[in-house]
């Protein structure tokens, strides 16, 4: 039972364009959502997060949008750079229930082409 | 503090042998998590500690797996009688729980290959 779903295994974008990575979740108890980036042979690194009381959070080139009614979130990267090429994982937790361990999606491999 | 440290980075073992991995979290973090990642999958939760107390174990954590965090500092994950299906990347993460919540910071992982 996959509670966090990333349905696109891969995405290819030209340098300078927008990258949009999508994530869906099924557990309505999730109230905190995060994106992690992973390079080969390294552990995931935290990128950006959003609480369920918000619908948007922005940090530099990265913006996360949350649509609670659709149980959907997306990560926008503008402009995309070759160094953004990595696997991106969406994760969710129940922060109001004692910060439960993160549940991850399967990831989307982003390739930014120069 | 340079972050979460895991040792070893790579381990090759024969089926049936026991292996033990170590994780040193960020020093002020009271929570420590173990995850497993296989090819094409995201990290899957195994277990976590708050200080020295093991608060939750996933059903993925069979009886052959045991984790400890003595004194609430470093943690060890032991796999007994390894099987080929145990081959995976084992990831450790740490965070601050409670009111001063922080996101989880991951180590570089231990890649286990069972031959």
């Amino acid at each position: 039972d996959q509670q966090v779903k990333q349905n696109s295994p891969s995405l290819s974008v030209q340098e300078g364009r927008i990258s949009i990575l999508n994530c869906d979740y099924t557990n309505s108890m999730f109230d905190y959502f995060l994106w992690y980036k992973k390079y080969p042979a390294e552990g995931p690194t935290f990128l950006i997060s959003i609480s369920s009381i918000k619908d948007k959070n922005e940090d530099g080139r990265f913006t996360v949008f949350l649509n609670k009614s659709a149980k959907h979130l997306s990560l926008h990267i503008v402009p995309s750079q070759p160094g953004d090429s990595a696997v991106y994982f969406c994760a969710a937790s129940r922060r109001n229930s004692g910060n439960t361990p993160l549940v991850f999606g399967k990831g989307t491999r982003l390739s930014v082409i120069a | 503090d340079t972050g979460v440290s895991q040792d070893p980075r790579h381990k090759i073992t024969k089926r049936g042998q026991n292996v033990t991995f170590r994780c040193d979290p960020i020093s002020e973090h009271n929570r420590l998590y173990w995850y497993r990642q296989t090819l094409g999958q995201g990290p899957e939760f195994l277990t976590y500690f708050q200080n020295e107390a093991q608060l939750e174990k996933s059903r993925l954590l069979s009886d052959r797996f045991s984790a400890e965090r003595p004194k609430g500092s470093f943690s060890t994950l032991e796999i007994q009688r390894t099987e080929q299906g145990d081959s995976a990347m084992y990831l450790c993460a740490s965070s601050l729980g409670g009111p001063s919540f922080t996101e989880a910071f991951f180590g570089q992982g231990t890649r286990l290959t069972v031959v």
Side-chain angles (χ1 to χ4, degrees), chain A:
Chain A
D1 170 5
Q2 193 80 13
Q3 297 185 72
V4 177
K5 300 177 184 179
Q6 294 177 257
N7 292 320
S8 299
S10 63
L11 176 67
S12 189
V13 172
Q14 275 197 315
E15 181 180 6
R17 298 289 188 113
I18 183 171
S19 295
I20 300 176
L21 294 91
N22 294 304
C23 176
D24 297 291
Y25 61 96
T26 57
N27 188 341
S28 57
M29 299 294 288
F30 288 142
D31 57 14
Y32 195 67
F33 305 89
L34 307 89
W35 286 92
Y36 280 80
K37 179 168 73 172
K38 187 180 185 300
Y39 293 118
E42 294 185 11
T45 55
F46 169 72
L47 194 57
I48 191 169
S49 62
I50 187 167
S51 165
S52 60
I53 62 173
K54 296 184 176 182
D55 55 17
K56 176 183 175 181
N57 188 28
E58 191 172 353
D59 183 1
R61 296 186 297 114
F62 303 91
T63 303
V64 56
F65 295 92
L66 175 62
N67 182 336
K68 279 193 300 181
S69 61
K71 295 192 180 70
H72 178 83
L73 61 155
S74 61
L75 174 68
H76 293 210
I77 307 174
V78 183
S80 301
Q81 299 174 353
D84 295 330
S85 296
V87 178
Y88 289 78
F89 292 101
C90 173
S93 75
R94 291 178 288 149
R95 190 164 170 178
N96 287 332
S97 302
N99 300 328
T100 59
L102 298 175
V103 178
F104 285 85
K106 292 186 177 183
T108 297
R109 181 177 301 278
L110 173 66
S111 300
V112 180
I113 304 163

Side-chain angles (χ1 to χ4, degrees), chain B residues 57-85:
Chain B
K57 291 193 286 188
S58 161
R59 64 179 187 278
L60 292 176
L61 211 68
S62 77
D63 291 345
R64 297 183 297 105
F65 287 70
S66 63
E68 294 183 343
R69 193 184 182 197
K71 303 178 184 177
S73 56
F74 72 92
S75 176
T76 58
L77 177 69
E78 181 183 16
I79 309 174
Q80 296 183 326
R81 305 181 303 281
T82 52
E83 301 173 356
Q84 286 189 322

Side-chain angles (χ1 to χ4, degrees), chain B:
Chain B
D1 193 348
T2 56
V4 179
S5 177
Q6 292 188 246
D7 183 70
R9 293 288 309 278
H10 303 273
K11 178 71 176 178
I12 300 175
T13 190
K14 291 184 178 179
R15 189 175 50 188
Q17 297 292 305
N18 299 343
V19 293
T20 300
F21 310 142
R22 177 180 170 123
C23 172
D24 287 272
I26 293 172
S27 57
E28 62 267 28
H29 285 179
N30 58 355
R31 288 202 173 182
L32 186 148
Y33 308 83
W34 285 99
Y35 284 82
R36 180 176 70 187
Q37 185 178 13
T38 53
L39 197 62
Q41 302 293 319
E44 296 173 296
F45 168 72
L46 294 178
T47 188
Y48 86 104
F49 294 83
Q50 178 148 312
N51 300 312
E52 66 275 8
Q54 190 172 17
L55 294 189
E56 187 176 342
K57 291 193 286 188
S58 161
R59 64 179 187 278
L60 292 176
L61 211 68
S62 77
D63 291 345
R64 297 183 297 105
F65 287 70
S66 63
E68 294 183 343
R69 193 184 182 197
K71 303 178 184 177
S73 56
F74 72 92
S75 176
T76 58
L77 177 69
E78 181 183 16
I79 309 174
Q80 296 183 326
R81 305 181 303 281
T82 52
E83 301 173 356
Q84 286 189 322
D86 297 331
S87 296
M89 174 74 82
Y90 289 84
L91 293 164
C92 175
S94 70
S95 74
L96 269 176
S100 304
F101 168 84
T102 67
E103 288 71 27
F105 292 81
F106 282 83
Q108 292 186 300
T110 294
R111 180 166 294 285
L112 173 66
T113 303
V114 181
V115 298

